[in-house]
Amino acid sequence: NTVVLKPTSEAPLTGLMLYDVYHDAGVPAGAVNFVTGPGPNFSAEFTENPDVAGITFTGSRAVGLSLYRGFLTHQPYAKPVLMELGSKNPAIITSKADLKKAVEGVVRAAYGYSGQKCSANSRVYVQRDVKGKFLDMLKKRLSSLEVQDPRERSAFTGPVINSAAMETFTDAVKEAKNDGGEVVFGGEAVTKGAFRKGYYVQPTVVTGLPIDHELFKRELFVPLLVVADFKTLDEALKEANDTDYGLTAGIFSEDKREVAKFMDQIQ
């Protein structure tokens, strides 16, 4: 089965390294083929060429749906399309959670790769009884994370990928403030010294927005987390499921009945 491998044009080097691994391992010439460049230059060829037997794609919902529709429209018969797209992934933290576990889980899920992964946790619903304590612990943990050059072994929070991502971040922070939200941690671009030529931003936490605010709905792909409180687990599950597209979700609770209810009702 031959493959055309096309990484994102924003970060093609790891794709090329993977291709080199296949080549060095003895995969026959022509079995794996590497191309790179802006996506729009390739989409028509990938969707309209009758020799393409199927497409697998990881990326944004908008691009994924465009490929899907184009492939269905232009191919002579139905062919497989497998996609792993983004989401607005929720986490629920109940009053019965181990807050140390919850903080560490949220930090890793929300800020790993600077939030630039389809599975990133980007909204948190925390029970009112423990919201204040959770936020205090979260801010303390985030204060120990330095924004660093990702080539440093100790780096956890590196840059966002390009100027458009940095603009997405700054626009979202501005939107949150304009709509009554409070930035309880972060919220700034890091531009001094060694960071002046990169796209570095602080891991950010926003509270106080209305539960139906756009920042609870729209995937940003940057290290910005929105937090809301809830009274009952049923309420939290309703909000967690209120999304156009779901990929991952999580709960922090030491109560097996709460966990079981979450597993039964989360969509």
Side-chain angles (χ1 to χ4, degrees):
N1 295 316
T2 60
V3 171
V4 175
L5 171 63
K6 189 216 168 291
T8 171
S9 57
E10 299 290 352
L13 182 57
T14 48
L16 181 58
M17 293 170 73
L18 178 62
Y19 171 81
D20 286 340
V21 168
Y22 290 134
H23 179 270
D24 293 346
V27 173
V32 178
N33 306 275
F34 180 86
V35 296
T36 188
N41 295 351
F42 294 93
S43 58
E45 180 65 20
F46 289 157
T47 58
E48 297 176 19
N49 190 320
D51 291 335
V52 175
I55 294 176
T56 65
F57 173 78
T58 300
S60 71
R61 181 172 66 157
V63 174
L65 290 177
S66 176
L67 286 172
Y68 181 71
R69 294 181 182 120
F71 202 52
L72 286 179
T73 301
H74 293 102
Q75 292 298 315
Y77 54 88
K79 297 178 180 180
V81 181
L82 304 176
M83 297 192 175
E84 195 272 349
L85 308 179
S87 187
K88 192 69 178 173
N89 305 298
I92 295 171
I93 300 168
T94 79
S95 59
K96 297 177 182 177
D98 179 327
L99 292 184
K100 186 176 180 181
K101 288 182 185 177
V103 166
E104 191 62 26
V106 166
V107 166
R108 289 174 179 270
Y111 304 110
Y113 296 109
S114 296
Q116 299 168 116
K117 52 184 180 178
C118 298
S119 59
N121 174 213
S122 54
R123 54 190 173 119
V124 165
Y125 302 99
V126 56
Q127 204 148 22
R128 289 172 190 167
D129 300 359
V130 295
K131 181 184 178 185
K133 187 175 181 181
F134 168 76
L135 286 174
D136 288 343
M137 292 174 65
L138 179 62
K139 288 185 286 185
K140 184 178 180 180
R141 179 70 178 93
L142 289 175
S143 67
S144 71
L145 295 179
E146 291 185 22
V147 177
Q148 290 179 282
D149 183 324
R151 293 170 296 185
E152 297 294 330
R153 184 173 291 274
S154 61
F156 182 79
T157 306
V160 291
I161 195 165
N162 54 24
S163 59
M166 184 177 245
E167 188 174 335
T168 294
F169 173 85
T170 54
D171 286 350
V173 170
K174 187 182 301 182
E175 182 180 352
K177 290 178 178 178
N178 288 343
D179 294 342
E182 179 186 1
V183 177
V184 296
F185 191 90
E188 301 289 337
V190 182
T191 58
K192 294 181 179 179
F195 303 107
R196 69 186 185 280
K197 293 184 179 180
Y199 306 112
Y200 292 86
V201 300
Q202 296 173 327
T204 297
V205 182
V206 172
T207 64
L209 289 172
I211 203 73
D212 59 349
H213 191 274
E214 180 68 15
L215 291 180
F216 280 99
K217 311 293 183 183
R218 187 173 77 242
E219 185 185 32
L220 301 175
F221 228 64
V222 296
L224 189 150
L225 182 73
V226 287
V227 178
D229 59 30
F230 67 88
K231 185 176 181 181
T232 68
L233 181 55
D234 285 335
E235 177 187 337
L237 285 164
K238 178 178 179 293
E239 295 300 334
N241 284 331
D242 185 18
T243 179
D244 288 340
Y245 50 122
L247 181 64
T248 71
I251 186 170
F252 292 93
S253 173
E254 299 297 305
D255 186 326
K256 292 182 179 180
R257 291 171 300 179
E258 288 187 336
V259 174
K261 186 170 188 175
F262 170 88
M263 296 298 288
D264 186 53
Q265 295 187 20
I266 198 71
Q267 294 173 12

